[in-house]
Amino acid sequence: MSNEVINTVQVQAAAGRSEELGRQLQKIVETLRETPGCDSYLVDRCPDDSHRWTVSARWQSEAAMQAHFNRPEAQGFIDLIDSRLANSVDFNSFPIV
């Protein structure tokens, strides 16, 4: 049985700001993918809704994923709302079975 986990972040862009949001998500991910225990960190734009973005990360363990949430760079997801780039940011995680 694997101890690996995946976390996802669904981000809905504010009106007229999707391109800028995508660039900011890439910046956040470029920094966080260097986190110890991270196997991958990706940004994808929804093909059916150009205002919706998904960020996904694969972690070697639950502990590695939780530790990354304490990094200052992870605060960048919350800052997307404060800077009005995003209307919503939804976090999820689940084990890889």
Side-chain angles (χ1 to χ4, degrees):
M1 180 149 172
S2 173
N3 290 325
E4 293 177 304
V5 294
I6 292 176
N7 79 285
T8 62
V9 183
Q10 300 290 322
V11 185
Q12 185 69 34
R17 304 211 57 196
S18 189
E19 295 298 324
E20 186 179 356
L21 173 63
R23 288 190 297 275
Q24 188 61 33
L25 288 171
Q26 285 292 351
K27 287 179 186 177
I28 293 168
V29 165
E30 286 171 13
T31 303
L32 290 173
R33 79 171 42 115
E34 300 301 321
T35 303
C38 180
D39 288 335
S40 67
Y41 225 128
L42 305 168
V43 176
D44 293 299
R45 191 178 208 167
C46 178
D48 299 327
D49 180 352
S50 65
H51 298 295
R52 193 172 71 211
W53 295 81
T54 300
V55 178
S56 57
R58 184 175 180 134
W59 300 94
Q60 295 170 2
S61 68
E62 173 84 22
M65 181 186 70
Q66 291 300 327
H68 115 279
F69 288 127
N70 293 324
R71 292 178 59 111
E73 297 88 349
Q75 177 65 35
F77 290 112
I78 303 304
D79 292 342
L80 297 172
I81 292 176
D82 293 342
S83 65
R84 293 189 168 82
L85 281 176
N87 290 332
S88 66
V89 178
D90 297 313
F91 294 88
N92 295 292
S93 65
F94 49 93
I96 299 173
V97 291

